[in-house]
Amino acid sequence: MEKIELTASRCCFSSNDEEFVGFEEDVEQIIQKLTRGTKECEVISIVGMAGLGKTTLARKVYNNHYIADHFDVRAFCIVSQTYSIRKLLFEILKQVTGEKRDMIKEDEDVADTLRKALFCKRYLIVLDDMWNYEAWEDLQSCFPCVERGSRIMVTTRVQEVAIKMSDPYFLRFLTEDESWELLQKKVFKLEGVPLELEEAGFEVARNCKGLPLVIVLNAGIIAQKERRVSVWEEFAKDLSSLGLEEQSRKAVQSSYDYLRDHLKHCLLYIGYFPEDYNIPVSDLLKLWIAEELVPNINDTENLEKSSKDCLSDLVNRSLLMVSKRRSNGDIKYCMVHDLIREFCSSKLEEEDFKQRIASYNSSSEVPSSPKDPARLCMYIHDNLVNQLELHGYSLNEISMVDSEEKESLEFIAHPRFYSSKCMDIVSLLINLRLIRVLHLLDINMDSTWEFQNSPASTLESLTHLKYLAIYARKFDFKWVSHMIDLQTLRVHSHQRIKTSPDIWKMKKLRHVDITEFSFIWEDDEQEEHVLDNLKTFGKCRVSLADMNRKFWWRFPNLEELSLSIVNFHGMPNHSLFPTPEIHNRLQSLEISFPIGFSTSIGWFKSVFPMNMRFLSLAGISLTEEVVTSIAALQKLETLKLFFIHFPNNNPRWDVTDRQFKVLKYLKLGVASA
């Protein structure tokens, strides 16, 4: 067993060879990778988003005198998105041989000539700005694998490319102090910083968000300004816009242009979140699916996988930052750097917040036939809302929507929009009926008169909803039973919600998260209803006294289940999972028990589902029976036990007598006496 710890490599430097911050340690690490180790040819890959200084680091190492002495020949060339293999090889050949000619002979076999030039030599080849693995496949055959300690150093902003080639060297952003140090060196050179400018200067550096390229660009701008506090404070305030100078913008633009269409839509959607917002990935993936931004390849079963692939692709390309990971390594929260967020915002504004989003057929990742054209969608934004308010929420009266678009236009109701300002949300909903996402957790719907008077009629026009998150004092399934396309239902309520026959009408439900949920069910139901598509049932506070285990069998394909047991008095003496075959798709289970829970009352008289990978239990007694049930899970990777009690007051657990074959993460928390 081992506890997973995720650490980032430390790398602090500017994008200019003249100024470096905290760079010596990184140079030394890369030099060691290049000069030590096996005699076989190895690849060292440096990965990070645009502007982090990958090229600067590579050049600093390449020009190091020790590296120059260690290798017989060296070459440094830029690959980029579009490249000619023949021209790349010729450039490497010229540097290796010292040739000055600019033209390639028409009948010259450049690959063979280069291979012969490198043979029996210890060489270093730097391939800067590689965008795809195919480029490496095209080039690698030209580099002979003679055991002389040759090395190839690659820089890329695509994590997937780096991983395929070697164990990557990850670059991080600068801290606020490092950013300020770099800004001082660029602006003041060898001069001291005037005391009156220290606070404003630090604010300028802090607002650069740790991206070396942006710091250097802004340093060049502010160095030309008056050294007055008011001027620097104003510059710090306006820094987000000034940071997007042409050089930085081009870096982001090129990353964006290289994306497939559906990834562009996903990135723009992320860029619509507030600045520095930690985006919960589990929510983001559901929102992407609801807005039909991700390809639906083959069948709906793969929607979640498709959305995760999109997330991974954007992270690999360094367009998204991972801000927190789960214990199993999955991404829990992600962020978008301000540089990229500003680009996304300006891109949406340029397109009048409109996008044509293509559908995908069931067999391949290509747009559908002309019979099913791309959807024209518009993000709901402040200007649109202002215009609707001025004209009585009538689309026919506003100029930003063309007359020919009014009938077919669909609206993207981004979660950010709902918390941006107070509005007559009910009137807006009634007039924008084609929205797919409604995220109202930050709005108390009970405070609106229309919703208080008739919540069902308020929501009845929303027939296209696929994602609904709502905060209401008392929720009723009848309000949403007409939403036959609903995939995600999240309800925060003060009163316990009873199950209702209306839930079975929503056959496409995939994710349900209800804070207070009573599992009372009528046993005299004649028809056995099943929700085959339901995958996650989470964060429900339940009373087991109300629960009928037949209820769970109606969700045969559950993958994640999270329950908080509020009491167990009068609980039927049966197990939740009588056999390991029940819910064999369940991979994640979280259960918290009330204080004083006794294992003699059912539950652990049986085994857990056999395919569990994540198990979290709180408030239990770690008896032999419990441990045996856990140890039987051959695929368990993460085990969390909180507020646990030991039998006979003996706080000791010898884990060596159990075989946890694939367990990677174990967390224990013993209840205080």
Side-chain angles (χ1 to χ4, degrees), residues 250-262:
K250 281 186 176 180
V252 181
Q253 180 73 59
S254 60
S255 295
Y256 177 82
D257 290 341
Y258 203 65
L259 296 174
R260 289 167 290 173
D261 285 345
H262 70 277

Side-chain angles (χ1 to χ4, degrees), residues 260-267 293-295 310 313 360 365:
R260 289 167 290 173
D261 285 345
H262 70 277
L263 288 175
K264 291 179 180 178
H265 300 318
C266 290
L267 180 62
L293 302 182
V294 300
C310 291
D313 208 338
Y360 294 84
E365 193 175 327

Side-chain angles (χ1 to χ4, degrees), residues 9-164:
S9 300
R10 291 184 60 83
C11 188
C12 310
F13 50 87
S14 78
S15 58
N16 187 305
D17 280 351
E18 296 179 357
E19 302 290 348
F20 300 103
V21 176
F23 188 73
E24 292 78 12
E25 180 182 342
D26 301 278
V27 170
E28 185 60 30
Q29 289 183 22
I30 298 296
I31 288 176
Q32 289 184 14
K33 288 176 178 289
L34 293 174
T35 58
R36 299 181 183 181
T38 178
K39 291 289 185 179
E40 296 180 355
C41 183
E42 288 188 340
V43 178
I44 292 89
S45 56
I46 303 172
V47 62
M49 71 176 294
L52 269 180
K54 302 179 295 296
T55 301
T56 302
L57 174 60
R59 286 198 179 277
K60 184 69 174 178
V61 172
Y62 181 83
N63 292 324
N64 182 275
H65 66 88
Y66 183 72
I67 291 294
D69 293 338
H70 182 79
F71 292 96
D72 299 326
V73 292
R74 295 173 300 148
F76 192 115
C77 68
I78 301 172
V79 181
S80 298
Q81 295 185 49
T82 57
Y83 59 90
S84 165
I85 291 296
R86 188 171 170 83
K87 290 181 179 179
L88 282 176
L89 295 177
F90 182 61
E91 180 61 33
I92 296 172
L93 179 63
K94 287 196 301 178
Q95 295 184 42
V96 166
T97 61
E99 291 190 32
K100 301 299 183 182
R101 62 190 174 103
D102 296 322
M103 299 297 293
I104 309 175
K105 297 176 182 178
E106 186 173 345
D107 58 346
E108 183 176 8
D109 188 343
V110 183
D112 185 65
T113 304
L114 176 61
R115 197 178 299 112
K116 291 176 180 177
L118 294 175
F119 193 77
C120 290
K121 288 186 174 65
R122 180 189 292 164
Y123 58 84
L124 169 64
I125 308 296
V126 178
L127 303 174
D128 188 40
D129 197 23
M130 184 174 288
W131 283 76
N132 57 66
Y133 188 71
E134 287 73 23
W136 169 242
E137 291 179 321
D138 291 337
L139 291 166
Q140 63 176 330
S141 62
C142 301
F143 306 134
C145 296
V146 182
E147 294 187 2
R148 294 186 61 87
S150 295
R151 297 290 184 265
I152 297 168
M153 183 161 57
V154 175
T155 71
T156 179
R157 62 183 74 173
V158 184
Q159 182 177 325
E160 183 180 5
V161 172
I163 291 174
K164 286 183 178 179

Side-chain angles (χ1 to χ4, degrees), residues 312-540:
S312 178
D313 208 338
L314 292 174
V315 170
N316 288 340
R317 296 171 186 273
S318 299
L319 289 167
L320 279 185
M321 299 182 294
V322 177
S323 52
K324 187 174 183 180
R325 290 187 180 271
R326 298 184 184 276
S327 56
N328 64 356
D330 288 347
I331 303 173
K332 187 174 184 178
Y333 291 96
C334 67
M335 295 179 67
V336 59
H337 193 274
D338 289 349
L339 184 68
I340 297 174
R341 178 181 172 273
E342 289 295 335
F343 168 82
C344 293
S345 297
S346 62
K347 195 73 177 176
L348 285 173
E349 289 182 17
E350 287 173 10
E351 299 173 358
D352 296 325
F353 293 91
K354 297 176 185 176
Q355 287 183 285
R356 288 201 173 272
I357 300 177
S359 300
Y360 294 84
N361 64 27
S362 60
S363 59
S364 63
E365 193 175 327
V366 296
S368 300
S369 65
K371 294 181 179 179
D372 188 18
R375 299 179 292 120
L376 178 62
C377 300
M378 172 183 273
Y379 279 82
I380 303 177
H381 55 288
D382 290 343
N383 193 19
L384 173 64
V385 173
N386 292 337
Q387 289 295 313
L388 287 171
E389 288 178 341
L390 286 173
H391 297 93
Y393 294 95
S394 173
L395 283 175
N396 295 323
E397 302 296 329
I398 62 175
S399 59
M400 65 181 62
V401 179
D402 298 335
S403 56
E404 61 270 17
E405 297 174 345
K406 294 188 186 338
E407 294 300 322
S408 60
L409 186 64
E410 301 179 13
F411 291 92
I412 297 178
H414 195 280
R416 169 198 175 187
F417 157 71
Y418 293 109
S419 58
S420 64
K421 58 179 289 186
C422 296
M423 64 188 77
D424 186 353
I425 188 68
V426 175
S427 298
L428 186 69
L429 295 178
I430 292 173
N431 287 278
L432 303 180
R433 300 185 178 189
L434 294 179
I435 59 174
R436 289 174 164 80
V437 168
L438 193 59
H439 192 281
L440 299 174
L441 290 181
D442 298 323
I443 298 176
N444 184 1
M445 294 298 291
D446 294 321
S447 64
T448 62
W449 181 86
E450 295 91 337
F451 189 85
Q452 259 188 340
N453 188 50
S454 180
S457 60
T458 301
L459 300 173
E460 67 180 359
S461 64
L462 303 175
T463 57
H464 292 77
L465 274 187
K466 294 191 174 185
Y467 179 106
L468 174 63
I470 190 171
Y471 173 84
R473 185 167 47 86
K474 186 175 182 180
F475 178 82
D476 193 321
F477 276 102
K478 292 180 180 179
W479 303 351
V480 297
S481 61
H482 65 288
M483 301 177 185
I484 58 175
D485 291 325
L486 197 65
Q487 299 170 341
T488 298
L489 176 62
R490 300 177 61 192
V491 180
H492 287 190
S493 176
H494 292 304
Q495 297 187 17
R496 298 182 68 197
I497 302 166
K498 295 183 179 180
T499 51
S500 162
D502 292 300
I503 192 175
W504 307 116
K505 299 177 183 178
M506 296 178 283
K507 296 293 185 182
K508 296 183 181 180
L509 269 180
R510 303 173 76 84
H511 309 282
V512 173
D513 177 0
I514 301 177
T515 53
E516 297 283 349
F517 200 3
S518 173
F519 287 89
I520 297 174
W521 190 255
E522 300 296 333
D523 288 330
D524 59 355
E525 281 288 315
Q526 298 296 318
E527 185 178 356
E528 288 292 328
H529 297 282
V530 174
L531 292 181
D532 288 314
N533 290 313
L534 196 68
K535 293 181 176 292
T536 65
F537 213 130
K539 300 179 182 177
C540 302

Side-chain angles (χ1 to χ4, degrees), residues 148-202:
R148 294 186 61 87
S150 295
R151 297 290 184 265
I152 297 168
M153 183 161 57
V154 175
T155 71
T156 179
R157 62 183 74 173
V158 184
Q159 182 177 325
E160 183 180 5
V161 172
I163 291 174
K164 286 183 178 179
M165 301 182 71
S166 69
D167 185 15
Y169 189 93
F170 290 98
L171 309 187
R172 66 168 178 85
F173 291 92
L174 303 183
T175 66
E176 292 180 0
D177 289 337
E178 292 163 347
S179 299
W180 175 220
E181 181 183 354
L182 177 58
L183 190 74
Q184 291 180 66
K185 288 187 175 183
K186 293 299 294 182
V187 175
F188 297 100
K189 307 299 181 183
L190 299 178
E191 302 175 32
V193 182
L195 289 177
E196 66 271 16
L197 289 178
E198 284 191 352
E199 184 174 348
F202 184 87

Side-chain angles (χ1 to χ4, degrees), residues 568-569 593-601 619-621 643 645:
F568 55 84
H569 299 294
F593 298 100
I595 298 175
F597 174 74
S598 171
T599 56
S600 64
I601 307 178
I620 64 167
S621 179
F643 305 107
H645 301 268

